[in-house]
Amino acid sequence: MSETRKARSIGIDLGTTNSCVATIDEKGRPEILENRQGQRTLPSIVHLEGDSRILVGAPAKRQAVTRPKSTFFAMKRLMGRRFHDPEVERLRKALPFEVAEAPSGDAWVRHADRLVSPQEISAHVLFALRDVASERLAHEGPFEAVITVPAYFDEVQRQATKDAAAIAGLTVRRLLNEPTAAALGYGAHKFGGGRLAVCDLGGGTFDVSILNVEDGAFEVIATDGDSALGGDDFDLRVVSHLAAELEVEHGFSVLEDPVALGRLREEAEKAKQALSETAEGSIDIPFLGTVRGARLDYHRVLKRGELESFAADLIERLEGPCLGALAAAGLRPDAISQVLLVGGMTRMPAVARKLENVLGRRAARNTSPDEAVAIGAATQCAILDGHVTDVVLLDVTSRALGIHSGNGKLVPIIPRNATVPTRGSRILTTSGDDQAELAIEVYQGEDVELERNRHLSTVVLGELPKTRAGEVMVLVDFTVDVDGILGISARELGSSVPVSIQVKASSGLPRSDVDRLAKERAASGPIER
Ligand code: AMP
C-alpha cells in the first residue's frame, strides 16, 4: 500500500494583477516562497497556446503584447460574475481578449473556438503557485491552502475561488478575507490592536476596510472601494502623455500600433515603479517604430513630479472610499489607530502620503505591501495548525441572505455582518392542497427590492406529505460556514422526516465539471512559468 504523504500548508494571495504564495517555516514563522528566478510574486496572467501549451506569470506577460487574444488576466474580476453584470460590461470594453456569455449566463472568455471559465484560467495560476511551493519545499503534495478573497466577495465568487483551487488540485483549508489577512500579515494583533484602516491599491482596484482588532480577535466592520481605480490607470496616464508627445515631436502615432503601444505601456509601468525609489527614471525603447522610413529609438527621462501631476486626479480619488469606509463604520479619522498599506501601488510615495493625510496617521512600514496578504494567509495556516494560539479570527458575512417572499420583496434569513459560522431558519408552508413540492428562490443582498439583489439558487423541497393547504410546515435551515459558503437543509415539522432537497445554482460550475477539469489538469503536462 502506498504511504499517504502528509499535506503541507500554504497561504495564497490570488490577486487580480499578481499572486503570491507563502508558508510557515520550522520555527512557525511565515515566509514568502520565491520562484526559481528569485521572484516573490507571480503575475496573474495566463497565455494559452493551442490545446496544451500553458504559460503562466512572466512568460505569459511577455506574450500579452503580441498575442493579446489568448493572454488572459484580470480573471478575478470576472470570476463568479454574470455576463450582463455592469462591472463585466465595463471591463469587456477594456480587455484585449474576448469575454463571452457561457450557456449558464456567466462571464467566460474565448480561446480560439472554445469558451473557458475564469475559474479554469485562475486554476492555472494556482497550479503555478503550487508548483513554486512544491519546488521550494521539495514536497510533491498534497497541499492544503488558505486562499484570500476580497471582503466584499459574495458567495458565488467565493465558491468560484474554491472551484479554481479544486481544479488546481489544492484542498482549501479556509478562504480568508484580504484585509484580515493583511492585518495578520502586518502582525497587527501583536502591537495593541484597535481600529485599523487597511488600504489596498493594486493593479485594478482600490479597497478600504476598517477592522476592529481586540484581544487577538479580528473583525471587518466596514468596507468601501473603487473597482475602477488601480495601477493600470496610472500606467495609462503616463502612456497617454507620452503618446501625445510622440505624435507632436516625431509624428509617430503609437496608439495605432498595438505592438509599439504594448512596449510603451510595459516601459511606462517599469518607470512608474522605479520612481517610487528615485526622483527620475528613463524610458528607453530601441526601435519603437518607423517614421518616414527611419527607425525611431525612443528615449525619455521621466520625473517623479511629472508622474504625480499626470496622476493627480487619480490620487485625489483615493479620498472618497476612505471617507466612505469611515462613515460606514461610524468613525472619525482620529478613531483609527493604525493605517496599513497593501498592494504594489501603495509603494508610490504620493499615494502613501495621500492615504496618510486622509486617515490622519502614518502608515505601518514593517512589511512589504505586496506580500502582507500572503504572509497573513500563511499565518492563518499556523493558527489552524495550532502554532499560533493568541489569535481568533472572526469574519463576518459580506452580504445578507434571504428568500423571495412571493410579493417581489426579499425576506432576510441571515443578516449582513453576522459573524461566521452562522445560521438562520424559516418555516414555510404549502399554499395548495396535496402540494408535493415547495420552491424557494434564494438571494444575496440587502435591498428589499428583489431585483437589486443577486439570485443565488432555486431550491426545490420535494416529497412533501400530501395533505390540505397550509398543513405542511417545512423548517428550512440556512448555514454560512467560515468560508462564507451557504448550506441549506430542510425537514418537515410534523413528521420530522427530512424532505428531499434540490439546489439549482444560477451561476458557477457544476460539481461534475470541477471534478472533470481537475482530472484533466492533473493529467496534462507541466505549465511554463
Ligand atoms: P498588486 O496587485 O498588489 O501586486 O499591485 C500591482 C500594481 O502595483 C501594479 O500596477 C504595479 O505596477 C504596481 N507596483 C508594483 N510595485 C510598485 C512600485 N514599487 N511603485 C509603484 N507601483 C508599483
Side-chain angles (χ1 to χ4, degrees), residues 17-18 202-203 231 269 272-273 276 343-345 347:
T17 319
N18 293 300
E269 184 185 4
K272 172 195 76 176
Q273 295 183 357
S276 293
M345 267 317 295
R347 288 181 186 269

